[in-house]
Short mmCIF file of all heavy atoms in Angstrom, two decimals:
data_model
loop_
_atom_site.label_atom_id
_atom_site.label_comp_id
_atom_site.label_asym_id
_atom_site.label_seq_id
_atom_site.Cartn_x
_atom_site.Cartn_y
_atom_site.Cartn_z
N ALA A 1 -1.41 11.96 -0.04
CA ALA A 1 -2.77 12.47 0.15
C ALA A 1 -3.82 11.43 -0.27
O ALA A 1 -4.90 11.36 0.31
CB ALA A 1 -2.97 13.75 -0.66
N GLY A 2 -3.50 10.60 -1.24
CA GLY A 2 -4.46 9.62 -1.73
C GLY A 2 -4.68 8.44 -0.81
O GLY A 2 -5.64 7.67 -0.99
N LEU A 3 -3.80 8.25 0.17
CA LEU A 3 -3.94 7.13 1.11
C LEU A 3 -4.45 7.60 2.47
O LEU A 3 -4.66 6.79 3.37
CB LEU A 3 -2.61 6.39 1.29
CG LEU A 3 -2.00 5.76 0.03
CD1 LEU A 3 -0.73 5.00 0.38
CD2 LEU A 3 -2.99 4.84 -0.67
N ASP A 4 -4.67 8.90 2.59
CA ASP A 4 -5.02 9.51 3.87
C ASP A 4 -6.53 9.45 4.11
O ASP A 4 -7.21 10.47 4.15
CB ASP A 4 -4.53 10.96 3.86
CG ASP A 4 -4.40 11.55 5.25
OD1 ASP A 4 -4.72 10.84 6.21
OD2 ASP A 4 -3.99 12.71 5.36
N TYR A 5 -7.04 8.22 4.27
CA TYR A 5 -8.49 8.01 4.41
C TYR A 5 -8.72 7.06 5.58
O TYR A 5 -8.01 6.06 5.73
CB TYR A 5 -9.03 7.40 3.10
CG TYR A 5 -10.52 7.14 3.09
CD1 TYR A 5 -11.43 8.18 3.21
CD2 TYR A 5 -11.03 5.84 2.95
CE1 TYR A 5 -12.80 7.95 3.19
CE2 TYR A 5 -12.40 5.60 2.93
CZ TYR A 5 -13.28 6.66 3.05
OH TYR A 5 -14.63 6.42 3.04
N PRO A 6 -9.70 7.35 6.45
CA PRO A 6 -9.88 6.57 7.68
C PRO A 6 -10.68 5.28 7.51
O PRO A 6 -11.00 4.62 8.50
CB PRO A 6 -10.61 7.54 8.60
CG PRO A 6 -11.43 8.36 7.67
CD PRO A 6 -10.57 8.54 6.43
N GLY A 7 -11.03 4.92 6.29
CA GLY A 7 -11.76 3.67 6.04
C GLY A 7 -11.15 2.93 4.87
O GLY A 7 -10.08 3.28 4.38
N VAL A 8 -11.87 1.91 4.42
CA VAL A 8 -11.37 1.10 3.30
C VAL A 8 -12.59 0.45 2.64
O VAL A 8 -13.63 0.25 3.29
CB VAL A 8 -10.38 0.03 3.79
CG1 VAL A 8 -11.05 -1.00 4.69
CG2 VAL A 8 -9.66 -0.65 2.63
N GLY A 9 -12.48 0.16 1.37
CA GLY A 9 -13.60 -0.46 0.67
C GLY A 9 -14.01 -1.77 1.32
O GLY A 9 -13.17 -2.55 1.78
N PRO A 10 -15.31 -2.06 1.39
CA PRO A 10 -15.80 -3.26 2.08
C PRO A 10 -15.33 -4.58 1.47
O PRO A 10 -15.20 -5.57 2.18
CB PRO A 10 -17.33 -3.12 1.99
CG PRO A 10 -17.57 -2.25 0.80
CD PRO A 10 -16.43 -1.27 0.81
N GLU A 11 -15.04 -4.58 0.18
CA GLU A 11 -14.55 -5.82 -0.42
C GLU A 11 -13.16 -6.17 0.10
O GLU A 11 -12.82 -7.34 0.27
CB GLU A 11 -14.56 -5.72 -1.95
CG GLU A 11 -14.33 -7.05 -2.64
CD GLU A 11 -14.74 -7.07 -4.09
OE1 GLU A 11 -15.08 -6.00 -4.65
OE2 GLU A 11 -14.73 -8.15 -4.69
N HIS A 12 -12.35 -5.15 0.37
CA HIS A 12 -11.03 -5.41 0.97
C HIS A 12 -11.20 -5.99 2.38
O HIS A 12 -10.43 -6.89 2.78
CB HIS A 12 -10.21 -4.12 1.03
CG HIS A 12 -9.64 -3.70 -0.28
ND1 HIS A 12 -8.67 -4.44 -0.93
CD2 HIS A 12 -9.91 -2.64 -1.07
CE1 HIS A 12 -8.35 -3.82 -2.07
NE2 HIS A 12 -9.10 -2.74 -2.19
N ALA A 13 -12.17 -5.48 3.12
CA ALA A 13 -12.43 -6.02 4.46
C ALA A 13 -12.76 -7.51 4.38
O ALA A 13 -12.27 -8.33 5.18
CB ALA A 13 -13.58 -5.26 5.13
N TRP A 14 -13.57 -7.86 3.39
CA TRP A 14 -13.94 -9.27 3.22
C TRP A 14 -12.74 -10.11 2.77
O TRP A 14 -12.53 -11.22 3.26
CB TRP A 14 -15.08 -9.39 2.22
CG TRP A 14 -15.38 -10.80 1.81
CD1 TRP A 14 -15.21 -11.35 0.58
CD2 TRP A 14 -15.83 -11.86 2.66
NE1 TRP A 14 -15.54 -12.68 0.60
CE2 TRP A 14 -15.94 -13.02 1.86
CE3 TRP A 14 -16.17 -11.93 4.01
CZ2 TRP A 14 -16.36 -14.24 2.38
CZ3 TRP A 14 -16.59 -13.16 4.52
CH2 TRP A 14 -16.69 -14.30 3.71
N LEU A 15 -11.94 -9.59 1.85
CA LEU A 15 -10.77 -10.33 1.37
C LEU A 15 -9.78 -10.58 2.50
O LEU A 15 -9.16 -11.64 2.56
CB LEU A 15 -10.09 -9.58 0.23
CG LEU A 15 -10.84 -9.55 -1.10
CD1 LEU A 15 -10.10 -8.68 -2.13
CD2 LEU A 15 -11.04 -10.96 -1.67
N MET A 16 -9.65 -9.62 3.41
CA MET A 16 -8.76 -9.82 4.55
C MET A 16 -9.32 -10.89 5.49
O MET A 16 -8.62 -11.82 5.90
CB MET A 16 -8.54 -8.52 5.31
CG MET A 16 -7.57 -8.69 6.49
SD MET A 16 -7.26 -7.19 7.44
CE MET A 16 -8.79 -7.06 8.37
N ASP A 17 -10.60 -10.75 5.86
CA ASP A 17 -11.20 -11.70 6.80
C ASP A 17 -11.21 -13.12 6.23
O ASP A 17 -11.05 -14.10 6.98
CB ASP A 17 -12.62 -11.28 7.14
CG ASP A 17 -12.66 -10.17 8.18
OD1 ASP A 17 -11.59 -9.64 8.52
OD2 ASP A 17 -13.76 -9.82 8.64
N SER A 18 -11.42 -13.24 4.93
CA SER A 18 -11.46 -14.57 4.30
C SER A 18 -10.07 -15.10 3.99
O SER A 18 -9.93 -16.22 3.51
CB SER A 18 -12.28 -14.50 3.00
OG SER A 18 -11.64 -13.70 2.03
N LYS A 19 -9.05 -14.26 4.28
CA LYS A 19 -7.65 -14.63 4.08
C LYS A 19 -7.27 -14.81 2.60
O LYS A 19 -6.25 -15.43 2.29
CB LYS A 19 -7.26 -15.86 4.89
CG LYS A 19 -7.48 -15.70 6.39
CD LYS A 19 -6.84 -16.82 7.18
CE LYS A 19 -7.09 -16.73 8.67
NZ LYS A 19 -7.32 -15.43 9.24
N ARG A 20 -8.11 -14.31 1.70
CA ARG A 20 -7.73 -14.38 0.29
C ARG A 20 -6.67 -13.34 -0.04
O ARG A 20 -5.88 -13.50 -0.97
CB ARG A 20 -8.96 -14.17 -0.62
CG ARG A 20 -8.62 -14.20 -2.12
CD ARG A 20 -8.00 -15.54 -2.53
NE ARG A 20 -7.48 -15.55 -3.88
CZ ARG A 20 -6.22 -15.28 -4.22
NH1 ARG A 20 -5.34 -14.93 -3.29
NH2 ARG A 20 -5.83 -15.37 -5.48
N ALA A 21 -6.65 -12.24 0.69
CA ALA A 21 -5.63 -11.21 0.51
C ALA A 21 -4.98 -10.89 1.84
O ALA A 21 -5.59 -11.05 2.90
CB ALA A 21 -6.24 -9.94 -0.10
N THR A 22 -3.74 -10.44 1.77
CA THR A 22 -2.97 -10.04 2.95
C THR A 22 -2.73 -8.54 2.87
O THR A 22 -2.51 -8.00 1.78
CB THR A 22 -1.61 -10.77 2.98
OG1 THR A 22 -1.84 -12.18 2.93
CG2 THR A 22 -0.83 -10.41 4.24
N TYR A 23 -2.75 -7.88 4.02
CA TYR A 23 -2.55 -6.43 4.04
C TYR A 23 -1.42 -6.08 4.99
O TYR A 23 -1.35 -6.58 6.11
CB TYR A 23 -3.86 -5.72 4.42
CG TYR A 23 -4.93 -5.94 3.38
CD1 TYR A 23 -5.73 -7.08 3.40
CD2 TYR A 23 -5.09 -5.04 2.33
CE1 TYR A 23 -6.68 -7.31 2.41
CE2 TYR A 23 -6.05 -5.27 1.34
CZ TYR A 23 -6.83 -6.41 1.39
OH TYR A 23 -7.77 -6.64 0.40
N VAL A 24 -0.51 -5.23 4.50
CA VAL A 24 0.68 -4.85 5.27
C VAL A 24 0.79 -3.33 5.28
O VAL A 24 0.08 -2.63 4.56
CB VAL A 24 1.96 -5.46 4.63
CG1 VAL A 24 1.89 -6.98 4.62
CG2 VAL A 24 2.16 -4.92 3.20
N GLY A 25 1.69 -2.81 6.11
CA GLY A 25 1.89 -1.38 6.20
C GLY A 25 3.28 -0.97 5.73
O GLY A 25 4.25 -1.69 5.95
N ILE A 26 3.35 0.20 5.10
CA ILE A 26 4.62 0.81 4.69
C ILE A 26 4.64 2.24 5.22
O ILE A 26 3.66 2.98 5.06
CB ILE A 26 4.79 0.79 3.16
CG1 ILE A 26 5.13 -0.62 2.67
CG2 ILE A 26 5.86 1.78 2.69
CD1 ILE A 26 6.52 -1.13 3.06
N THR A 27 5.73 2.62 5.85
CA THR A 27 5.83 3.95 6.44
C THR A 27 6.12 5.03 5.39
O THR A 27 6.51 4.72 4.26
CB THR A 27 6.93 4.01 7.51
OG1 THR A 27 8.20 3.83 6.86
CG2 THR A 27 6.73 2.94 8.58
N ASP A 28 5.95 6.28 5.82
CA ASP A 28 6.29 7.41 4.95
C ASP A 28 7.74 7.30 4.46
O ASP A 28 8.02 7.48 3.27
CB ASP A 28 6.16 8.73 5.71
CG ASP A 28 4.71 9.10 6.02
OD1 ASP A 28 3.79 8.46 5.49
OD2 ASP A 28 4.52 10.05 6.82
N GLU A 29 8.64 7.01 5.38
CA GLU A 29 10.06 6.97 5.03
C GLU A 29 10.37 5.85 4.05
O GLU A 29 11.16 6.02 3.11
CB GLU A 29 10.93 6.83 6.29
CG GLU A 29 10.90 8.05 7.20
CD GLU A 29 11.32 9.33 6.47
OE1 GLU A 29 12.28 9.28 5.68
OE2 GLU A 29 10.65 10.36 6.67
N GLU A 30 9.75 4.69 4.25
CA GLU A 30 9.95 3.58 3.32
C GLU A 30 9.41 3.91 1.93
O GLU A 30 10.04 3.60 0.91
CB GLU A 30 9.28 2.32 3.86
CG GLU A 30 9.96 1.72 5.07
CD GLU A 30 9.15 0.59 5.70
OE1 GLU A 30 7.90 0.69 5.72
OE2 GLU A 30 9.76 -0.40 6.15
N ALA A 31 8.27 4.57 1.90
CA ALA A 31 7.67 4.94 0.62
C ALA A 31 8.53 5.98 -0.10
O ALA A 31 8.74 5.89 -1.33
CB ALA A 31 6.26 5.47 0.82
N LEU A 32 9.04 6.95 0.64
CA LEU A 32 9.88 7.99 0.04
C LEU A 32 11.19 7.39 -0.48
O LEU A 32 11.67 7.79 -1.56
CB LEU A 32 10.16 9.10 1.05
CG LEU A 32 8.98 10.04 1.30
CD1 LEU A 32 9.21 10.84 2.59
CD2 LEU A 32 8.77 10.99 0.12
N ALA A 33 11.75 6.45 0.25
CA ALA A 33 12.97 5.79 -0.23
C ALA A 33 12.71 5.04 -1.53
O ALA A 33 13.50 5.11 -2.48
CB ALA A 33 13.51 4.84 0.84
N ALA A 34 11.59 4.33 -1.60
CA ALA A 34 11.24 3.59 -2.81
C ALA A 34 10.97 4.57 -3.96
O ALA A 34 11.32 4.28 -5.12
CB ALA A 34 10.02 2.72 -2.56
N PHE A 35 10.34 5.70 -3.66
CA PHE A 35 10.08 6.74 -4.66
C PHE A 35 11.39 7.17 -5.32
O PHE A 35 11.52 7.17 -6.55
CB PHE A 35 9.38 7.92 -3.99
CG PHE A 35 9.20 9.12 -4.86
CD1 PHE A 35 8.04 9.30 -5.58
CD2 PHE A 35 10.19 10.10 -4.93
CE1 PHE A 35 7.86 10.41 -6.39
CE2 PHE A 35 10.03 11.22 -5.75
CZ PHE A 35 8.86 11.37 -6.48
N HIS A 36 12.37 7.51 -4.50
CA HIS A 36 13.66 7.98 -5.03
C HIS A 36 14.40 6.88 -5.77
O HIS A 36 14.98 7.12 -6.84
CB HIS A 36 14.52 8.54 -3.90
CG HIS A 36 14.04 9.86 -3.37
ND1 HIS A 36 14.08 11.02 -4.11
CD2 HIS A 36 13.49 10.20 -2.18
CE1 HIS A 36 13.58 12.03 -3.41
NE2 HIS A 36 13.23 11.56 -2.23
N ASP A 37 14.38 5.66 -5.23
CA ASP A 37 15.07 4.56 -5.90
C ASP A 37 14.45 4.24 -7.25
O ASP A 37 15.15 3.93 -8.21
CB ASP A 37 15.03 3.30 -5.01
CG ASP A 37 16.00 3.39 -3.84
OD1 ASP A 37 16.87 4.29 -3.86
OD2 ASP A 37 15.89 2.57 -2.91
N CYS A 38 13.12 4.32 -7.33
CA CYS A 38 12.43 4.05 -8.60
C CYS A 38 12.81 5.09 -9.63
O CYS A 38 13.05 4.76 -10.81
CB CYS A 38 10.92 4.04 -8.37
SG CYS A 38 9.97 3.49 -9.81
N CYS A 39 12.88 6.34 -9.21
CA CYS A 39 13.28 7.41 -10.12
C CYS A 39 14.67 7.13 -10.70
O CYS A 39 14.89 7.22 -11.92
CB CYS A 39 13.31 8.75 -9.40
SG CYS A 39 11.70 9.38 -8.87
N ARG A 40 15.59 6.78 -9.84
CA ARG A 40 17.01 6.70 -10.25
C ARG A 40 17.39 5.36 -10.85
O ARG A 40 18.37 5.28 -11.59
CB ARG A 40 17.89 7.00 -9.03
CG ARG A 40 17.72 8.43 -8.53
CD ARG A 40 18.31 8.66 -7.16
NE ARG A 40 18.04 10.03 -6.69
CZ ARG A 40 18.28 10.44 -5.45
NH1 ARG A 40 18.77 9.60 -4.56
NH2 ARG A 40 18.01 11.68 -5.10
N THR A 41 16.63 4.33 -10.53
CA THR A 41 16.98 3.00 -11.05
C THR A 41 16.22 2.66 -12.32
O THR A 41 16.77 2.03 -13.22
CB THR A 41 16.69 1.92 -9.98
OG1 THR A 41 17.33 2.27 -8.76
CG2 THR A 41 17.20 0.56 -10.43
N GLU A 42 14.97 3.07 -12.40
CA GLU A 42 14.14 2.69 -13.56
C GLU A 42 13.71 3.87 -14.43
O GLU A 42 13.08 3.66 -15.45
CB GLU A 42 12.89 1.92 -13.08
CG GLU A 42 13.19 0.58 -12.47
CD GLU A 42 13.83 -0.40 -13.47
OE1 GLU A 42 13.60 -0.24 -14.68
OE2 GLU A 42 14.56 -1.30 -13.03
N GLY A 43 14.04 5.11 -14.02
CA GLY A 43 13.64 6.25 -14.82
C GLY A 43 12.15 6.50 -14.82
O GLY A 43 11.61 7.07 -15.76
N ILE A 44 11.48 6.07 -13.75
CA ILE A 44 10.03 6.25 -13.60
C ILE A 44 9.78 7.00 -12.30
O ILE A 44 10.26 6.59 -11.23
CB ILE A 44 9.30 4.90 -13.58
CG1 ILE A 44 9.47 4.17 -14.92
CG2 ILE A 44 7.82 5.08 -13.25
CD1 ILE A 44 8.95 2.74 -14.90
#
């Protein structure tokens, strides 16, 4: 729910355009897999 927003902060837009930061995508399934692995591997 916290990532379900149709915009992004303007400083991130500038960081991407200036190539100081890189932005990638992670799917629901990838996030859920990492969620479960983190629980079971690190106890968090």
Side-chain angles (χ1 to χ4, degrees):
L3 299 183
D4 199 358
Y5 181 63
V8 66
E11 191 162 8
H12 284 294
W14 170 246
L15 289 176
M16 182 180 75
D17 280 8
S18 66
K19 302 191 183 332
R20 179 60 189 94
T22 304
Y23 295 85
V24 299
I26 285 291
T27 67
D28 290 349
E29 292 305 318
E30 290 171 323
L32 285 163
F35 173 92
H36 288 293
D37 285 346
C38 188
C39 293
R40 295 166 184 171
T41 307
E42 293 297 334
I44 296 172

